[in-house]
Amino acid sequence: MSTFWRRPLDADRVRPPHGEVLILADRCKGCEFCVEFCPKDVLAMSKDFNRKGYHPPEVVKSGVCMACNLCETICPEFAIFTTTTPESPPAAALPAPVLEGVAP
Amino acid sequence: MTVEARPDYAETVEHPMTPFLRMDRIPHVWCPGCGIGTVVRCFASALEKSGIDLDKVSVVSGIGCAGRTAGYLKLDGFHTAHGRAIPFATGLKLGRPELTVTVLSGDGDLVGIGGNHFIHAARRNLDLLVVLINNFTYGMTGGQNGPTTPLSARSSTMPFGNFETPFNLPHLAASSGAPYVARWTSLHVRRLTWSIEEALERKGFRFIEVVAPCPVLYLRLNKLGDGVQRMRYYHDEAEIRNGADPGDAAIDFQGKILCGVFVDEERPTYQELMDEHYGNVLGDDYVPMPLEGGMLGGG
């Protein structure tokens, strides 16, 4: 199905931001907001306990985060944030259009 | 992946909220799934984006869960008596007109105990930014029926369901004369941040209601699940309609939540009217309050 995705016209120039999620596990109270609303489903609840006895989130898909900061903004405990990593992969990771009769 | 596992990161990268918080008081007291922390985060991002000098911003709050915000934010914070956040902020703004005075408090504090102050501050158009965190109940004291508890919702003082008609807060503020009225939920983090940022640029009585979950009392007493289920409900049932009539914004039990900026207009503020009126009546005898205050010192 991915071959039918639209390819942005500026895909060769724009590099999608790439982020890294940092979790302050001991501040977390396990409300699951970040896990529920992450648009890339980067996070999942961990089976481990933190110092308070809650399950903090953990990163299950590395390299997918786009540093949108939604987890950071929605976290009521100020326990998670993202940093933009300098070595962003180029947009070539996007699927190329393979529609017939259309020049790539 | 935790910061503890990456000591090099823990030393070089700090949470972006750290400059805004009194870190010796963190972790805060709010329950798991409570939405107040999210609102504090949005408020801090809006302050950061607006580029206001943080030494000229003060936060006033009353009593209750939401009243704790003034203690956690690393700004000039005042934790006032129950319901009296707006009167305190009034005095602060009139005495130090240079300050950006914001009121962050809950529904029980601002429109329950302090409802009279709320409508009169809106009527006089005092230059305050009021962010009201509405969790539909008195959370800190045990889930009593509040002025915003929806009809038929259970509370600890109405175990058979509430029969009192609740306030429609945007309508109350708009009909009292507030020039900026908005409502968001704690799920609308980006729009809430943007709305607070916009309100910081406006003048007069700016009112933003934020609907937030109270998982331990309101949701538990009504068997509505936990905070994340409430956030899913906001996702499904919140309807954004900017410029809608605030009269349509009443919230029924588990009904639609109308969100958006309902009123955005300009009206002369209390200070402007006072300066103009006394300037006309008294002429040169009238000395307006200097921006940095100081008329009370023995000068």
Side-chain angles (χ1 to χ4, degrees), chain B residues 16-85:
Chain B
M17 269 296 275
T18 309
F20 292 93
L21 293 174
R22 295 179 196 276
M23 291 310 292
D24 50 332
R25 288 167 174 260
I26 300 293
H28 53 61
V29 298
W30 298 314
C31 310
C34 174
I36 300 175
T38 309
V39 182
V40 173
R41 175 73 181 93
C42 295
F43 181 73
S45 341
L47 281 180
E48 192 180 14
K49 282 183 191 163
S50 68
I52 296 180
D53 180 7
L54 293 184
D55 289 340
K56 305 284 185 202
V57 180
S58 67
V59 179
V60 186
S61 57
I63 300 296
C65 297
R68 295 222 163 212
T69 46
Y72 292 125
L73 282 165
K74 201 191 266 179
L75 302 164
D76 290 339
F78 299 96
H79 196 199
T80 64
H82 202 350
R84 313 299 177 231

Side-chain angles (χ1 to χ4, degrees), chain A residues 51-97:
Chain A
R51 205 172 57 194
K52 293 183 207 158
Y54 295 108
H55 295 291
E58 62 179 358
V59 177
V60 290
K61 286 187 193 171
S62 58
V64 181
C65 174
M66 297 189 73
C68 74
N69 279 347
L70 185 76
C71 55
E72 179 190 316
T73 316
I74 213 165
C75 176
E77 307 294 330
F78 321 118
I80 187 169
F81 61 105
T82 54
T83 52
T84 311
T85 47
E87 64 280 4
S88 301
L94 285 167

